[in-house]
Amino acid sequence: LPYPFFLAHPLQADPATLGDPAHWQIEWKWDGIRAQLVKRAGRVWLWSRGEDLITERFPEIAGRGAALPDGFVLDGEILAWEPGASAPLPFARLQPRIARKTLTRKILADSPATLLAYDLLEAHGRDLRSTPLSERRAQLETLAASLDGTLARDLLRVSPRVVAPDWPTLARLRDESRARGVEGLMLKERESMYGVGRTKASGTWWKWKIDPYAVDAVLVYAQRGHGRRASLYTDFTFAVWDEADGIRTLVPFAKAYSGLTDEEMREVDAIVRKTTIEKFGPVRSVTPTLVFEIGFEGIQTSPRHKSGVAVRFPRMLRWRTDKHIDDADSLAMLKGFIVKRGD
C-alpha cells in the first residue's frame, strides 16, 4: 500500500511573510495526477492520491519502475510527456488513459506518460518520512543520478527546483505559469517532514497558484445535488454566447456545483423551480435569467463538446446579480484563452 499523501495548503497571504526564500524548496506546480510509485519484493505498484491502484493505466511507468531497487517509494506527478520533449503536454492528453477501460496501442502512443518525482518516501526499505525534505531531496537526486540515461529521462524525471533571490522575482516567474503549462509554484519548507493529509504539524507545504481563468456565463440546466443537497438543484450547466453566422445563441461549455453559499444555493434552487421549461430525466432546462462568474484552471480544444472547448476544474466564483444575460461572455472569448496559452 502507499503512504498517506501529504497535501499542500493554498497560499492566500503575501509570500514575503514566509521569510527568506532560501528556507523553502520551490518547484513548479504541475498539472497531472498525483501518484506514488511503490517498488517492493520485485513488484511495482502505482497508486493515485485517492488510493486507487492505477498500475494498469500506466504500464510504461510500471514497466520502467521494475528497474528501480527494491524498497523504494517515490511521490510525484504523472504527466503526459512525449519522449525527448522539454515540457509536458496539456492534462487533456492524459484523460484517455483514465477514462478508457481498454488501453489500445493508439491511446498509449497518443498519450505518452511519465512520472515526475519530487519526493522520496522510502529507500532500501527504510521509511524516510520523518527525515527533513532537504535530505529526502538529496537522496532522490542521488537515486536519479544512479540510473542510466533512458530511465532518468523517461521514468525518474526529478521536478526541477525554481531558484530566485527574492519573492518579487519568484512572483514574476509565477506569472509565466500558463506559458509553461503549470499552475503556479509549490513552496515546501526545506526542513519539513512528510506529514499525513493537509497538516502543518510536520512542516508546511504551500501551493501558490495563479489566478484562474474567469468568464461570465448563463445558467441553462440544473440537476439535484448529492448528500445534504439532494433536495436542492445545485449542479448547474453554464453557457456562453456564440455569435456565428450572425445568430446569437447560448452554447453550454461547463458544469459546476461549488462556490456558492448555502443561502445562495437555496435562492438559486427557488429560481430554477420557477423558471423550468422542460425536464429531461433528472435534468431541468430553465429560462436563461442568471449570470455567474465561472472560474477554471485550464482550457483545451475538444471536438467531443458542442462548444469545441473543455475546461478544467470549473466552479462558481460569484453570482453576478448585477448583470443581464446579454452581458455574458462569448465563445470567441473562451477560445481566445487557448490562443493566449499557446496550446
Side-chain angles (χ1 to χ4, degrees):
L1 290 173
Y3 291 108
F5 284 78
F6 188 27
L7 306 179
H9 297 263
L11 182 64
Q12 308 290 354
D14 182 343
T17 61
L18 301 179
D20 189 339
H23 297 154
W24 298 84
Q25 178 174 299
I26 302 171
E27 307 166 35
W28 296 111
K29 187 182 186 306
W30 303 96
D31 185 15
I33 300 170
R34 180 85 177 272
Q36 286 181 26
L37 187 149
V38 179
K39 171 70 185 296
R40 295 188 183 118
R43 294 188 60 189
V44 177
W45 295 269
L46 202 59
W47 295 89
S48 73
R49 184 182 123 180
E51 296 194 0
D52 294 320
L53 190 60
I54 56 174
T55 316
E56 294 182 355
R57 298 281 90 194
F58 301 96
E60 70 271 59
I61 296 177
R64 295 180 187 128
L68 291 173
D70 271 346
F72 275 76
V73 178
L74 308 177
D75 183 17
E77 201 89 4
I78 297 173
L79 299 166
W81 203 312
E82 291 181 335
S86 59
L89 296 164
F91 180 83
R93 292 287 290 273
L94 271 184
Q95 289 178 321
R97 304 289 292 268
I98 305 165
R100 304 289 179 86
K101 291 183 178 179
T102 302
L103 295 179
T104 63
R105 289 184 179 179
K106 185 176 187 306
I107 290 175
L108 290 172
D110 291 345
S111 306
T114 193
L115 179 71
L116 191 76
Y118 41 71
D119 215 332
L120 183 62
L121 310 186
E122 183 178 316
H124 301 294
R126 175 173 166 252
D127 184 348
L128 301 179
R129 291 177 298 163
S130 61
T131 302
L133 173 62
S134 57
E135 295 182 28
R136 300 198 308 270
R137 172 74 185 210
Q139 291 195 48
L140 175 63
E141 292 176 353
T142 298
L143 173 64
S146 72
L147 301 173
D148 66 40
T150 300
L151 273 176
R153 182 177 65 251
D154 295 336
L155 167 70
L156 190 51
R157 296 175 184 266
V158 175
S159 179
R161 295 186 231 194
V162 179
V163 180
D166 51 46
W167 294 111
T169 304
L170 286 164
R172 289 192 292 273
L173 288 171
R174 173 177 166 267
D175 290 342
E176 301 173 2
S177 293
R178 285 203 171 97
R180 295 172 179 267
V182 297
E183 298 180 322
L185 291 169
M186 292 293 300
L187 315 176
K188 304 175 181 179
E189 282 188 288
R190 286 175 49 79
E191 298 308 304
S192 63
M193 296 179 287
Y194 192 91
V196 175
R198 194 166 278 110
T199 177
K200 296 181 182 178
S202 304
T204 308
W205 288 8
W206 297 103
K207 48 186 177 183
W208 188 21
K209 297 176 68 173
I210 51 175
D211 293 334
Y213 292 107
V215 296
D216 291 329
V218 180
L219 191 156
V220 290
Y221 298 108
Q223 208 170 332
R224 291 183 189 271
H226 302 279
R228 65 186 182 88
R229 289 179 167 175
S231 63
L232 299 174
Y233 286 91
T234 62
D235 295 12
F236 309 126
T237 298
F238 295 93
V240 289
W241 290 107
D242 183 10
E243 301 177 2
D245 302 321
I247 301 173
R248 201 167 190 240
T249 56
L250 285 168
V251 178
F253 79 99
K255 295 182 178 180
Y257 56 87
S258 64
L260 299 184
T261 65
D262 288 346
E263 182 179 350
E264 287 174 324
M265 282 292 193
R266 287 190 291 270
E267 289 184 52
V268 175
D269 171 79
I271 295 171
V272 165
R273 295 174 188 273
K274 291 177 182 177
T275 60
T276 294
I277 304 170
E278 293 181 272
K279 298 178 182 179
F280 308 95
V283 179
R284 290 194 175 196
S285 170
V286 301
T287 302
T289 60
L290 304 180
V291 178
F292 293 82
E293 184 178 10
I294 306 300
F296 50 94
E297 301 301 324
I299 180 169
Q300 304 293 331
T301 56
S302 173
R304 295 172 48 238
H305 295 82
K306 184 178 179 180
S307 64
V309 300
V311 299
R312 185 150 157 75
F313 296 139
R315 68 271 193 194
M316 293 170 278
L317 299 179
R318 56 177 171 152
W319 184 0
R320 295 304 304 263
T321 56
D322 58 322
K323 289 203 171 187
H324 186 270
I325 63 168
D326 290 339
D327 301 322
D329 290 315
S330 67
L331 184 59
M333 177 182 172
L334 265 181
K335 291 182 176 179
F337 286 139
I338 301 175
V339 173
K340 290 175 185 177
R341 179 176 167 180
D343 292 339

